[in-house]
């Protein structure tokens, strides 16, 4: 896999991310994703390029395990392919401002992933912010519990919904209860992905917290 020239590698990943954006990847079922992996391998501009450097089945595995494994982290501005996405999600700085207020910012060098988390401050207090979508609640709560055990700053769980997504009231109450039982504060926010252009590349995609 490392035999792919870097320029070719990054071009293919950028093209795959663009196609995933157009498909609304987060909303696809596992079966639909499998279908698209196969179609991408058959695509002359994607699989056709990759199969110059590896067998067809290995190309399919590469698409799944390299670009798409990093897709959501890249959209959050994290990892080696963050600059290749065309519709990035709000960054850690955006999430902190949406969930906690305009005075909050990220402390340099504290950003971690799996799940996304970082230390934030308003110049007085300090917190460990852990964020992700509702499907990742288990890993968010587990990270919060480990933060408490390790003596890190007070953890806060931020459940981030994309514009158009909604939590049923029963789900919202359940998430709240789970976090309360774990001794964790929780916020639910709504954000939107923003198409990247030269004009808005540095502009945060901010929305107000829900509730």
């Amino acid at each position: 896999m490392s035999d792919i020239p870097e320029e070719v590698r990054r071009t293919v990943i950028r093209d795959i991310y663009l196609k995933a954006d157009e498909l609304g990847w987060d909303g696809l079922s596992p079966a639909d994703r499998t279908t698209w992996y196969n179609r991408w391998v058959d695509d002359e501009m994607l699989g056709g390029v990759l199969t110059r450097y590896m067998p067809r089945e290995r190309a399919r595995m590469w698409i799944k395990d390299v670009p798409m494994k990093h897709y959501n982290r890249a959209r959050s501005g994290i990892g080696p392919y963050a600059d290749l996405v065309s519709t990035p999600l709000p960054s850690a700085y955006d999430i902190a401002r949406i969930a906690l207020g305009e005075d909050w910012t990220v402390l340099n060098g504290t950003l971690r992933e799996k799940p996304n988390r970082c230390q934030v401050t308003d110049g007085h207090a300090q917190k460990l912010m852990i964020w992700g979508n509702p499907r990742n609640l288990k890993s968010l709560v587990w990270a919060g519990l480990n933060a408490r055990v390790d003596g890190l700053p007070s953890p806060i769980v931020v459940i981030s919904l994309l514009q158009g997504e909604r939590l049923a009231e029963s789900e919202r109450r359940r998430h709240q209860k789970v976090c309360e039982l774990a001794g964790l504060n929780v916020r639910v926010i709504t954000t939107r992905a923003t198409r990247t252009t030269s004009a808005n590349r540095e502009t945060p995609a901010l929305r107000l917290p829900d509730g």
Side-chain angles (χ1 to χ4, degrees):
M1 295 185 184
S2 60
D3 294 338
I4 306 173
E6 185 63 18
E7 183 177 350
V8 173
R9 175 189 181 94
R10 290 177 64 80
T11 297
V12 170
I13 292 173
R14 181 181 290 108
D15 290 346
I16 288 172
Y17 284 171
L18 181 59
K19 290 181 180 295
D21 290 345
E22 292 171 347
L23 289 168
W25 191 258
D26 288 338
L28 297 185
S29 68
D32 287 338
R33 292 184 181 192
T34 295
T35 296
W36 280 104
Y37 286 141
N38 293 330
R39 290 184 182 179
W40 289 344
V41 173
D42 292 334
D43 188 319
E44 193 61 32
M45 300 302 294
L46 300 176
V49 174
L50 294 174
T51 51
R52 299 174 194 166
Y53 306 97
M54 63 184 74
R56 184 181 189 281
E57 187 53 38
R58 192 178 173 196
R60 184 188 182 283
M61 186 182 303
W62 185 90
I63 291 172
K64 181 178 179 182
D65 291 347
V66 179
M68 295 314 295
K69 184 176 180 179
H70 289 270
Y71 177 60
N72 278 324
R73 294 196 292 276
R75 294 181 77 203
S76 296
I78 299 171
Y81 308 128
D83 62 323
L84 301 180
V85 299
S86 58
T87 54
L89 299 172
S91 68
Y93 295 90
D94 297 329
I95 297 292
R97 292 169 62 194
I98 299 167
L100 301 172
E102 293 290 327
D103 294 335
W104 288 82
T105 191
V106 176
L107 290 172
N108 289 337
T110 66
L111 188 61
R112 301 290 184 270
E113 55 181 312
K114 299 181 183 180
N116 294 343
R117 60 198 188 278
C118 63
Q119 294 184 29
V120 295
T121 183
D122 64 352
H124 304 286
Q126 194 168 322
K127 297 179 183 293
L128 178 71
M129 184 179 72
I130 309 163
W131 77 98
N133 61 48
R135 295 183 296 278
N136 291 332
L137 181 65
K138 181 178 179 180
S139 63
L140 303 181
V141 171
W142 183 245
L145 289 172
N146 276 287
R148 295 184 63 194
V149 170
D150 294 338
L152 296 176
S154 177
I156 180 167
V157 170
V158 178
I159 297 173
S160 180
L161 304 173
L162 283 176
Q163 190 173 35
E165 294 180 331
R166 295 198 66 82
L167 275 181
E169 190 57 37
S170 58
E171 291 180 288
R172 189 184 292 266
R173 287 196 301 267
R174 185 176 186 83
H175 291 176
Q176 184 76 39
K177 187 65 174 178
V178 167
C179 289
E180 286 177 358
L181 289 173
L184 302 171
N185 290 321
V186 61
R187 303 281 174 87
V188 179
I189 64 172
T190 299
T191 66
R192 62 181 175 85
T194 303
R195 177 71 63 176
T196 299
T197 66
S198 58
N200 70 11
R201 186 174 297 273
E202 301 301 329
T203 302
L206 297 176
R207 289 182 63 84
L208 295 175
D210 287 357

